[in-house]
Amino acid sequence: MDSHGQYEQRVVWAVVGTGIGPLLLAATREGLVNVVFHATDEVRDGALERLASRLGAEPVEEPGSPLLAEAIRQVEAYFAGERRDFELPLDWSLISGFNREVLRELASGVPFGSVVGYGDLARRVGQPGAAQAVGTAMGANPLPVVVPCHRVVESGGGIGGFGGGLETKRHLLALEGVLPEPLF
């Protein structure tokens, strides 16, 4: 606690190896706050600087932290094909407004092995003309994989964009049985 009796913000992080490369996982006392693709040293350092700035606390590498243990276990089980759903407390403090509303709907309403169109997701949150804004929300998702923005695709059957790269999106959709595994 600080001198005013308030809990100081605590941010812990670890990098986890996965089938799509290293993921940075960061958590607060509220829950998992950030997942970052392709967490090489340079990407990781930039992500940690942004987290420190946004959350007002210096992230501490602590892979054994109880705040991260369950998230790490569930992410590893997901990539091993042993888990379909994430059951984790999430800290939504890095996103707000329409983007948060869309991502919450995505997290609760688009299950493993299924996809939804950008326009369909916009309709689900009561904004039928906001397909492009849904795309923006997907790009702003601070919790990819756990909040499955890879499950949002174009209505005409296209894969759509993806902040982690299209190969990563294809891999995640293949892992969930939506796409066939690439031959090479």
Side-chain angles (χ1 to χ4, degrees):
M1 285 192 173
D2 66 14
S3 61
H4 303 289
Q6 300 293 314
Y7 282 104
E8 292 181 55
Q9 179 72 288
R10 178 155 165 71
V11 184
V12 295
W13 65 273
V15 173
V16 178
T18 72
I20 58 169
L23 292 180
L24 180 142
L25 304 180
T28 66
R29 286 183 179 90
E30 297 297 314
L32 190 66
V33 71
N34 203 199
V35 176
V36 179
F37 289 116
H38 315 298
T40 60
D41 291 348
E42 184 179 342
V43 169
R44 180 200 66 214
D45 292 348
L48 294 173
E49 283 179 28
R50 285 187 300 279
L51 274 174
S53 172
R54 302 263 324 267
L55 297 175
E58 196 65 38
V60 176
E61 183 176 16
E62 201 173 316
S65 170
L67 299 175
L68 282 171
E70 186 61 16
I72 291 170
R73 190 185 72 70
Q74 288 188 28
V75 165
E76 289 173 340
Y78 171 82
F79 281 101
E82 300 165 357
R83 174 171 278 281
R84 295 173 146 237
D85 302 304
F86 292 96
E87 298 169 7
L88 296 168
L90 301 177
D91 179 339
W92 294 94
S93 63
L94 295 178
I95 197 145
S96 61
F98 177 79
N99 291 354
R100 183 187 291 190
E101 185 180 357
V102 169
L103 291 171
R104 283 181 180 259
E105 173 59 30
L106 175 64
S108 65
V110 183
F112 181 96
S114 65
V115 294
V116 65
Y118 294 94
D120 293 334
L121 195 51
R123 280 188 283 288
R124 288 185 187 196
V125 297
Q127 300 290 329
Q132 281 188 317
V134 166
T136 300
M138 296 306 103
N141 182 3
L143 295 161
V145 179
V146 175
V147 176
C149 51
H150 60 276
R151 296 180 190 155
V152 183
V153 298
E154 295 174 350
S155 60
I159 195 167
F162 195 62
L166 292 182
E167 285 306 311
T168 299
K169 186 171 187 172
R170 285 186 188 97
H171 183 88
L172 292 168
L173 291 173
L175 177 71
E176 294 189 7
V178 175
L179 291 176
E181 286 285 349
L183 295 176
F184 49 87

